[in-house]
Amino acid sequence: MPFRSFAAAVALTLATAGAAPAEEPLALRGMGSFHVGGKLVEISGRPVKDVVFTPGGTPARVDPNGTYQTGQMYVQYFLPQNERGSVPLLLWHGGGMTGVNYESTPDGRRGWLEFFLRKGWAVYNSDAVERGRSGWAMYPDVIPGEPVFLTTANPFERFRIGDGANSYNADPSKRKYLAGSQFPPDGYDNFVKQIVPRWTSTDQMIIDAYIAKVDKVCPCVIAFHSQSGQFGFKVAQARPDKVKALIAVEPAGIGDPARADVLKDIPVLMVYGDYIEQDARWPAIRKTGTDFGDKIRAAGGSVDVVNLPTVGIKGNSHMMMLDKNNLEVAQLIQDWLAKKGLVR
C-alpha cells in the first residue's frame, strides 16, 4: 500500500509531535453524561424466585417476567471553555473494552481524552452496548448466546504486546515483550483490569445505539478502534451528512464495500502500529481495511493510510492509545485534523 502525502508530512514534523503537553489547569464550560438508544423488550416464561439480597435479610419475591430496557449506551462528555475543534470528537473503543481506554493509561499517564480536550475538542467518550456503564441485558433472552471472556494472557499475546504465543507469564519479570515495545510493562496488570465481557451477537444493537448518539450529538468527528471499525464506517454510511471525518485506529472491521461511495465526502485517516508483518492475523486485517479505503478512494474519496513505523513512530501495540508514546500518535491525529480544516 503506497503511503499518502500526509504520511510524508508527518515524518517531517516528528520533532514537535512528541512535545510534552502543557500542564495548565483545564477550563471546562460543562461536563456530564447521558444514555442514548435502546428499546423495550418483553420476557416471559421464566420462573419466579424468592431472593435474599442481604445476609440475614427477608426474602423478596422476584419475577423476571416483564418489560426490560435494553440496548442503551452510556456517554460521558467534556466541553472545553476554549473550543477549537470545529465539531465534537467521539471516541469509540474496541472489543472487550470500555471508554476507560481513552481516559488515562494503565501506568497513570495522560490519555487521549485529556489530550484532545486540551487541544480544544469537545470530547464524547462512550461505553458500547453491554459494556461498562451501559449495562447488560438478560441472555439468551435478549442477547443471543453467551459472553466471551478474556484471560490475562490473551491481550498480551494477541494485541502485539508480547512476543508471540506463550510470551505471557504471571511473573512480570518473565514476560517476553516484543523488542522495542512501547507498551508500558509496569501497567499491564492494571490494563487487564479494564477488560469486560463482550458478545459476538450484539453488533446491530451497538450500531443502532451509535446511530442514536450521532443523531443526538453530531455533526462530529469519530475516532474508533479495533472492533469499532465496522461500527465507525457503517454508522458514517448511515449518517454521512453528520460525520466530518473518520479516524480508524487499527480497524478490525469495515463498512459495506458495496456502499463505499457513500463515504466519498468524508476524509478518512487509517492508523496502524508496529510488528504487523510478523503477526499471524494482522497483515490480513490491515489489508481488509486498506482495501476498503481503496474503494472509498476509487469513488472519489480521501483516505490517508499511516503505518507508524514508516513515519518514524515505532514500537506501537494494538493498544496505541495506551503505549508510552501515545501522545505522539495523538499529535499525528491532531495534525491530520488540522490539515483537514477541522481545527479553529
Side-chain angles (χ1 to χ4, degrees):
M1 164 63 65
F3 299 104
R4 310 303 172 194
S5 57
F6 175 72
V10 168
L12 298 176
T13 59
L14 283 176
T16 58
E23 293 297 333
E24 68 274 6
L26 281 169
L28 300 179
R29 61 180 175 83
M31 61 177 290
S33 62
F34 56 87
H35 283 81
V36 68
K39 61 182 179 181
L40 298 177
V41 176
E42 292 287 334
I43 290 179
S44 61
R46 282 196 166 230
V48 178
K49 298 180 180 179
D50 288 329
V51 178
V52 177
F53 289 102
T54 304
T58 302
R61 179 61 55 92
V62 175
D63 185 350
N65 303 293
T67 304
Y68 287 83
Q69 172 66 50
T70 67
Q72 65 275 6
M73 177 177 292
Y74 173 84
V75 182
Q76 188 175 36
Y77 62 87
F78 301 85
L79 310 177
Q81 183 67 44
N82 182 18
E83 197 163 332
R84 297 188 295 277
S86 62
V87 292
L89 171 66
L90 279 50
L91 300 176
W92 297 359
H93 61 79
M97 301 291 163
T98 69
V100 73
N101 283 171
Y102 296 110
E103 292 175 5
S104 61
T105 68
D107 58 336
R109 292 171 293 107
R110 180 171 298 170
W112 281 11
L113 191 159
E114 183 180 346
F115 173 89
F116 286 108
L117 188 59
R118 286 183 177 275
K119 293 294 184 182
W121 292 90
V123 181
Y124 287 71
N125 192 28
S126 53
D127 293 350
V129 174
E130 40 86 351
R131 318 280 176 82
R133 286 175 283 186
S134 293
W136 279 23
M138 293 178 70
Y139 66 93
D141 309 72
V142 177
I143 301 179
E146 296 180 346
V148 177
F149 296 83
L150 300 182
T151 66
T152 55
N154 183 288
F156 192 83
E157 298 173 358
R158 190 163 59 90
F159 290 175
R160 307 197 317 276
I161 298 171
D163 192 6
N166 302 315
S167 58
Y168 176 80
N169 193 294
D171 182 348
S173 68
K174 296 180 180 179
R175 293 172 189 165
K176 300 175 183 178
Y177 287 82
L178 284 160
S181 172
Q182 289 282 356
F183 193 89
D186 53 344
Y188 186 79
D189 288 340
N190 197 32
F191 165 61
V192 296
K193 296 176 183 180
Q194 299 181 18
I195 298 172
V196 296
R198 59 165 290 186
W199 272 260
T200 60
S201 57
T202 56
D203 290 358
Q204 191 58 53
M205 294 173 66
I206 295 172
I207 289 170
D208 290 344
Y210 276 137
I211 289 175
K213 178 182 176 182
V214 165
D215 286 342
K216 180 180 178 70
V217 172
C218 298
C220 58
V221 171
I222 306 175
F224 49 90
H225 175 240
S226 195
Q227 185 205 14
S228 283
Q230 65 152 322
F231 305 147
F233 287 123
K234 288 181 178 178
V235 170
Q237 287 176 321
R239 296 291 189 271
D241 58 320
K242 293 182 177 290
V243 180
K244 301 304 179 183
L246 293 171
I247 302 159
V249 180
E250 293 210 348
I254 60 174
D256 181 357
R259 301 181 63 240
D261 62 298
V262 175
L263 303 177
K264 63 183 178 62
D265 296 324
I266 304 174
V268 177
L269 173 65
M270 294 184 178
V271 183
Y272 294 93
D274 212 335
Y275 313 110
I276 285 179
E277 288 77 9
Q278 65 197 73
D279 188 85
R281 301 169 62 247
W282 268 98
I285 296 173
R286 180 173 61 182
K287 185 177 187 303
T288 298
T290 56
D291 284 352
F292 184 65
D294 286 342
K295 289 183 180 296
I296 300 171
R297 197 179 294 113
S302 170
V303 180
D304 291 301
V305 178
V306 176
N307 291 286
L308 294 177
T310 302
V311 297
I313 303 177
K314 300 181 179 181
N316 284 102
S317 71
H318 181 52
M319 304 301 299
M320 62 182 69
M321 72 290 296
L322 306 181
D323 288 337
K324 289 182 287 186
N325 61 352
N326 67 327
L327 300 188
E328 194 173 2
V329 180
Q331 185 64 53
L332 180 149
I333 294 169
Q334 171 72 10
D335 292 344
W336 181 85
L337 290 167
K339 282 178 64 69
K340 298 302 177 183
L342 294 166
V343 177
R344 298 189 183 105

